[in-house]
Amino acid sequence: MRGRSAGLVLAAGGSRRMGQPKQLLPVDGRPLLGLVVDHACASSLDEVVVVLGGHADEIVAAVDMGRARIVVNAAFAEGMSSSLKSGIAAMDDDVGRVIIVLGDQPDVSPSLIDSLLELQETSGLPAAALSFDGLLHPPVVLDRSLWADLADLQGDVGCRAIIRGRPESVAALPAVGRAGHPIDIDTLDDYRRLVGAES
């Protein structure tokens, strides 16, 4: 039995490049992180865990997390790897796989999450990820058998390091169009492009 499927939304960054909490930037009339969490909660995932760090109190007060559970990573300044480890450590024993979604990817729809979960299951491979520009990108599904590999990650490194290091273990879902090629909102220019595309 595969076990339950969980979503892990990484949203602990301090938004140094943005100059303000990017998790709270308005997108479609609600905070950016709220949109990402809504999409995860609307998918077929059995549970959703959101990892916060920088500005955690402000974010909790402003964002409706729905059915998601919050984990606060006190070591968020050490980089994405610490948040990834915090989220994995918070998973219940009956979770068999997680899909890792970045908290600044508002285009990751419930259907995209479900497609990646289905692809990973039907492929028989331990991982699945989006593929575009010849590279594998998050969201990423990781079977529990791969979680131990995350322990060696250090600094601002995420699961890309795992999947790109062993592409033979990853079922690739080709990105199609903007909806299949979710951008990360790292700078104000990224945000302006996102909002401009929606207007």
Side-chain angles (χ1 to χ4, degrees):
M1 189 170 158
R2 173 173 295 281
R4 298 165 71 240
S5 300
L8 180 54
V9 179
L10 300 182
S15 304
R16 290 185 304 275
R17 282 178 283 183
M18 187 68 69
Q20 58 184 300
K22 66 179 175 182
Q23 298 93 331
L24 301 181
L25 289 171
V27 178
D28 289 343
R30 65 185 122 170
L32 169 61
L33 179 58
L35 187 61
V36 176
V37 173
D38 280 354
H39 288 170
C41 290
S43 72
S44 64
L45 289 165
D46 295 304
E47 72 168 313
V48 178
V49 173
V50 180
V51 181
L52 299 179
H55 313 286
D57 291 342
E58 185 179 352
I59 292 167
V60 168
V63 178
D64 180 0
M65 296 292 180
R67 65 185 179 97
R69 179 162 55 96
I70 296 171
V71 172
V72 177
N73 172 25
F76 74 93
E78 296 176 9
M80 187 184 296
S81 63
S82 67
S83 294
L84 192 51
K85 293 173 191 177
S86 293
I88 291 292
M91 292 296 160
D92 293 331
D93 291 341
D94 61 350
V95 173
R97 59 182 177 162
V98 297
I99 182 165
I100 296 152
V101 180
L102 303 183
D104 59 2
Q105 288 185 308
D107 289 334
V108 175
S109 64
S111 61
L112 176 56
I113 291 172
D114 289 344
S115 294
L116 282 164
L117 290 169
E118 181 179 6
L119 175 62
Q120 188 269 325
E121 184 165 15
T122 57
S123 71
L125 295 173
L130 274 184
S131 172
F132 54 86
D133 295 338
L135 292 172
L136 296 167
H137 296 263
V140 176
V141 181
L142 293 179
D143 184 82
R144 181 178 278 272
S145 63
L146 294 176
W147 295 3
D149 295 350
L150 302 176
D152 294 330
L153 298 180
Q154 299 292 329
D156 201 26
V157 175
C159 51
R160 281 188 181 98
I162 301 294
I163 59 174
R164 291 181 182 175
R166 53 174 71 185
E168 72 284 352
S169 300
V170 185
L173 180 67
V176 179
R178 176 176 172 261
H181 184 152
I183 62 170
D184 300 358
I185 309 301
D186 290 326
T187 66
L188 282 173
D189 284 342
D190 294 336
Y191 174 64
R192 291 186 188 107
R193 280 195 293 273
L194 172 71
V195 175
E198 293 177 344
S199 59

